[in-house]
Amino acid sequence: MVWALAGWTIVGLAAVWIPEARLAWQGIGILLGVIAAADLLALLGLPSPELRRQMQGILSLGAPGRVGLTLTNPSTRRLRLRLHDLYPSAFAVQGLPREIALGAGTSATIDYRLTPSQRGNFTIPGCEIALCSPLRFWVERRALTLSTRLRVYPNLARLGRDILPAMQDRRAAAGERVRPRRGEGAEFHQLRDYHRGDGLRRIDWKATARMRKLIAREYEDEHDRHLVFLLDTGRRMRHRDAGHSHLDEALGAVLAVAFVALAHGDAVGLMTYGGPRRWCAPRKEPQTMPRLLERVYDLEPSLDASDPLLAARELLHRMPRRALVVMITNSRDEDQSGLERAARLLRRRHLLMIADLRESALDRSLEARIRDLPGALRFHAVQGWLATRRRHGERLRHLGIESLDLLPAQLSGALVGRYLAIKRAGRL
């Protein structure tokens, strides 16, 4: 349309000096108007293409995922269009928008990469297209409705960085450990059919009478224990490092340690406090990992202050059996009194480990060159604050509690290592 109008304008300018060109200018204008109107009517009569969307795999935080779009031309005319998917605005994308040409009755599939920057539930309501008229005089913007729900999970790809060394450590230790014979533990696990070689004391006579065949009791091995995460979801966990919140890093660590613990035969559970309340009772069946993932993938830190003492009392009520309790939090000086009281309460029954996160900006401020008085004051203030944190950690360790002062990026590796050390030492 712009080129046609430019040519018509040139003819009009020529008509100023050449009167004979005025009639040609008027004729071209009428012809151009008729063609443009016909082209507009043809555009309005074109049907919108049909749209299908396919998600390939699951979406993980910070990891690019592939999205496929299939468009089908239901008309007998060729369609030219420009397409843009209406993905969440906070996500990064590669491969959009796209120019597409569809022949009559044909289909085309395009792929693009979507990188989520947040966990949780999101929706893609549809696509937007810019449809060209047959003569390309006009472009019409249309919305194609196709709602797709997105679930963004913690970054599962990063778990291998910490899980692989742990699994290698497990295989290396397998030849050094004498495993108890199946069913020779002390805690009842399940009923099963009687096998040759089972002792008579294993037979459950009531179940045998009901089933009219020999039924034996099976017990858990002595090394099977419970691991429970006590996860802070309060306002302290909103701090961000390297683009991710402390809660994002904590969830990645929870999943990494849970995977290793399940591989070692331990039951894994989780309880949150300070924000959204979630409780997953300890389990060790094959569906424990997917179940745990479904319960935590959409967790977001609240604006509320966390109460570790209240959480400790609730956990003691829910968990009467001894377990390894891993508390993950981000504390300040004013939180230490409640944290220490909670630790004293939990250690009466459980083996407790506290992972206290700190911001990486503090470490960077110590590495910065001091150039003026404010810089010197900042350096000494940070040094004093970190020294206070170390004293609080020493008090907890004096009570027999595992206390870790960590950067968020160090959390997964440190927790996996400490869990394996506790297993090897037989403390659990």
Side-chain angles (χ1 to χ4, degrees):
M1 177 65 80
V2 172
W3 284 107
L5 291 177
W8 184 54
T9 302
I10 292 174
V11 175
L13 292 175
V16 175
W17 292 279
I18 306 174
E20 292 79 4
R22 183 176 303 173
L23 186 60
W25 175 73
Q26 293 173 348
I28 293 174
I30 295 173
L31 180 61
L32 181 60
V34 171
I35 293 175
D39 196 36
L40 177 59
L41 292 176
L43 172 62
L44 297 177
L46 289 177
S48 297
E50 299 171 355
L51 176 67
R52 296 195 309 274
R53 184 184 292 111
Q54 305 88 30
M55 303 297 301
Q56 300 180 9
I58 65 174
L59 291 177
S60 298
L61 178 66
R66 182 170 295 178
V67 183
L69 294 174
T70 301
L71 293 98
T72 302
N73 181 5
S75 71
T76 58
R77 294 185 178 182
R78 179 182 176 86
L79 297 182
R80 298 185 185 89
L81 55 94
R82 186 178 178 87
L83 178 141
H84 189 72
D85 210 7
L86 300 178
Y87 57 87
S89 59
F91 292 10
V93 68
Q94 292 179 340
L96 286 180
R98 296 283 285 275
E99 300 279 353
I100 301 173
L102 291 172
T106 63
S107 298
T109 300
I110 65 168
D111 291 335
Y112 70 92
R113 292 187 176 273
L114 190 64
T115 305
S117 58
Q118 299 175 357
R119 289 177 294 99
N121 294 311
F122 303 90
T123 301
I124 300 180
C127 287
E128 188 174 85
I129 63 171
L131 185 61
C132 297
S133 61
L135 298 180
R136 307 190 72 175
F137 273 68
W138 308 96
V139 175
E140 182 185 6
R141 295 180 63 177
R142 298 183 184 180
L144 305 182
T145 302
L146 179 63
S147 181
T148 301
R149 183 184 179 189
L150 302 180
R151 288 186 173 187
V152 181
Y153 293 94
N155 194 327
L156 304 179
R158 294 177 55 192
L159 300 185
R161 179 189 61 189
D162 304 304
I163 290 174
L164 184 59
M167 299 310 295
Q168 291 174 341
D169 178 87
R170 177 174 180 262
R171 289 193 293 268
E176 304 172 4
R177 183 177 64 242
V178 179
R179 296 177 60 87
R181 187 170 66 87
R182 181 175 175 84
E184 291 298 318
E187 184 182 355
F188 175 75
H189 177 48
Q190 64 183 1
L191 294 175
R192 59 169 174 80
D193 291 342
Y194 179 85
H195 298 154
R196 180 176 296 180
D198 289 336
L200 292 178
R201 64 189 182 90
R202 298 296 182 191
I203 298 177
D204 190 304
W205 296 107
K206 292 183 179 180
T208 297
R210 287 196 305 269
M211 301 297 294
R212 297 177 181 269
K213 62 179 180 178
L214 288 176
I215 301 296
R217 300 187 191 96
E218 188 173 279
Y219 296 87
E220 291 180 333
D221 292 340
E222 294 293 341
H223 64 277
D224 293 347
R225 292 294 183 265
H226 285 182
L227 167 64
V228 179
F229 295 97
L230 189 56
L231 180 59
D232 186 357
T233 56
R235 63 187 180 188
R236 304 287 194 207
M237 301 297 283
R238 299 177 67 89
H239 293 287
R240 302 185 72 85
D241 276 296
H244 301 305
S245 70
H246 286 193
L247 185 58
D248 292 332
E249 298 289 353
L251 289 178
V254 166
L255 294 174
V257 180
F259 185 90
V260 175
L262 290 170
H264 282 75
D266 289 340
V268 178
L270 175 138
M271 191 184 91
T272 64
Y273 71 99
R277 306 301 295 274
R278 306 284 171 86
W279 165 247
C280 295
R283 296 286 187 273
K284 60 179 180 179
E285 59 263 18
Q287 292 302 315
T288 298
M289 197 68 183
R291 172 174 164 265
L292 188 63
L293 187 60
E294 286 295 322
R295 292 290 291 165
V296 304
Y297 81 94
D298 59 344
L299 273 176
E300 291 296 337
S302 70
L303 295 174
D304 300 328
S306 302
D307 188 344
L309 183 58
L310 181 63
R313 290 170 178 164
E314 182 180 349
L315 184 62
L316 285 177
H317 176 72
R318 292 182 181 272
M319 283 294 301
R321 177 181 172 178
R322 177 176 169 82
L324 170 61
V325 176
V326 179
M327 177 184 287
I328 304 176
T329 185
N330 181 328
S331 69
R332 297 290 185 272
D333 291 347
E334 58 270 24
D335 305 324
Q336 293 301 323
S337 175
L339 187 61
E340 186 173 329
R341 292 171 64 190
R344 290 178 180 272
L345 187 62
L346 286 173
R347 77 183 181 96
R348 297 175 185 174
R349 183 182 302 168
H350 303 297
L351 176 62
L352 179 61
M353 182 193 307
I354 298 178
D356 197 357
L357 301 178
R358 70 177 186 273
E359 290 74 20
S360 60
L362 298 173
D363 291 34
R364 290 195 301 270
S365 68
L366 296 180
E367 298 170 358
R369 181 176 298 180
I370 300 175
R371 300 179 181 275
D372 49 22
L373 179 60
L377 295 177
R378 186 185 309 110
F379 177 86
H380 286 287
V382 172
Q383 284 280 25
W385 190 80
L386 292 177
T388 302
R389 280 178 65 94
R390 286 192 291 270
R391 287 195 295 271
H392 289 310
E394 291 170 359
R395 286 176 59 87
L396 292 174
R397 284 188 287 273
H398 181 71
L399 296 174
I401 297 164
E402 294 273 348
S403 178
L404 304 176
D405 185 4
L406 301 166
L407 296 174
Q410 301 170 337
L411 185 60
S412 293
L415 289 187
V416 170
R418 291 308 304 156
Y419 164 78
L420 293 175
I422 289 173
K423 288 287 289 185
R424 285 192 295 266
R427 296 176 57 194
L428 183 55

